Amino acid sequence: MARILPVFATQFIVLSLLSSFALILVQGEDDHDFDEAMDRDLLGLKKEKLSHFKLYWHDIVSGKNPSSIGVVKSPVNSSTLFGFVSMIDDPLTEKPELSSKLLGRAQGFYASASQQEVGLLMAMNFHFIQGKYNGSTITVLGRNPVFNKVREMPVIGGSGLFRFARGYVEARTHTFTASTGDAIVEYNAYVLHY
């Protein structure tokens, strides 16, 4: 009995200290100074507008200077290439011809993320290099079932003139060359931004 009392007293003290720390942490949550409500005008956020961009994405996997490089091979024997990952720095042009005006580059990666169909996880920034959007980016993250006629993926943000951007893109395969794996995809981006 004499031995049980000190163990009980020690447990009681430890439990009391833990309870006190928890109470301090809970009460301290309202006392932080790292956030504040802001007026949109202070950031130059005047009126939100909707912009439409039509551009062509060139995924070049063949030749001496490909814009898409496989970095992870499919670790399993899969008809969908499940697990495959490719890094991209794909040209974005005004027309389907690669020789047309370069508007920017799609930089990021795509990965085969489906075991039942060819469905890609797309994570990329459309980095613009022309006109008033020079240096600005639109970020696209979503699922791309490549054999569907039209694929829709969300715009989840951006930078520069696309800060706080949101919207979606529609992708339509313009051409695919089976012998090389090269593809040209028409992207229509609908973006709400300030």
Side-chain angles (χ1 to χ4, degrees):
M1 180 84 173
R3 213 165 195 220
I4 293 175
L5 191 56
V7 171
F8 177 73
T10 303
Q11 289 175 344
F12 179 75
I13 291 171
V14 169
L15 185 60
S16 296
L17 286 172
L18 289 174
S19 297
S20 298
F21 288 137
L23 186 59
I24 290 169
L25 289 174
V26 169
Q27 289 177 343
E29 283 183 10
D30 295 330
D31 298 331
H32 51 74
D33 294 325
F34 64 88
D35 72 333
E36 64 180 282
M38 293 198 62
D39 183 355
R40 291 177 187 221
D41 292 338
L42 293 175
L43 291 175
L45 305 176
K46 302 295 181 195
K47 184 179 177 188
E48 194 173 39
K49 58 188 163 232
L50 175 64
S51 295
H52 170 238
F53 302 92
K54 180 178 179 179
L55 35 86
Y56 291 86
W57 180 88
H58 298 264
D59 196 47
I60 305 164
V61 298
S62 66
K64 293 181 181 178
N65 190 25
S67 63
S68 178
I69 303 279
V71 294
V72 177
K73 292 184 180 189
S74 177
V76 295
N77 186 11
S78 166
S79 62
T80 67
L81 298 176
F82 179 64
F84 171 78
V85 179
S86 187
M87 294 301 298
I88 62 168
D89 185 15
D90 289 344
L92 298 170
T93 61
E94 187 174 47
K95 303 218 182 281
E97 299 77 27
L98 187 56
S99 60
S100 70
K101 184 176 184 178
L102 183 67
L103 301 176
R105 303 201 66 93
Q107 298 170 328
F109 70 91
Y110 56 80
S112 182
S114 176
Q115 294 181 38
Q116 284 74 41
E117 65 177 328
V118 180
L120 303 177
L121 164 66
M122 305 289 291
M124 59 186 167
N125 289 310
F126 288 177
H127 176 247
F128 293 96
I129 61 169
Q130 295 292 333
K132 72 177 184 177
Y133 298 111
N134 184 18
S136 297
T137 64
I138 294 172
T139 302
V140 176
L141 176 67
R143 182 175 186 275
N144 182 355
V146 296
F147 291 121
N148 289 5
K149 184 176 179 181
V150 179
R151 289 92 65 193
E152 183 178 310
M153 292 166 274
V155 169
I156 62 165
S159 66
L161 292 178
F162 298 111
R163 291 183 192 121
F164 299 104
R166 64 190 193 283
Y168 68 100
V169 297
E170 289 181 347
R172 291 173 177 81
T173 301
H174 181 69
T175 58
F176 174 72
T177 308
S179 61
T180 62
D182 295 346
I184 300 171
V185 178
E186 177 187 311
Y187 271 86
N188 282 279
Y190 302 90
V191 183
L192 283 165
H193 61 102
Y194 290 94

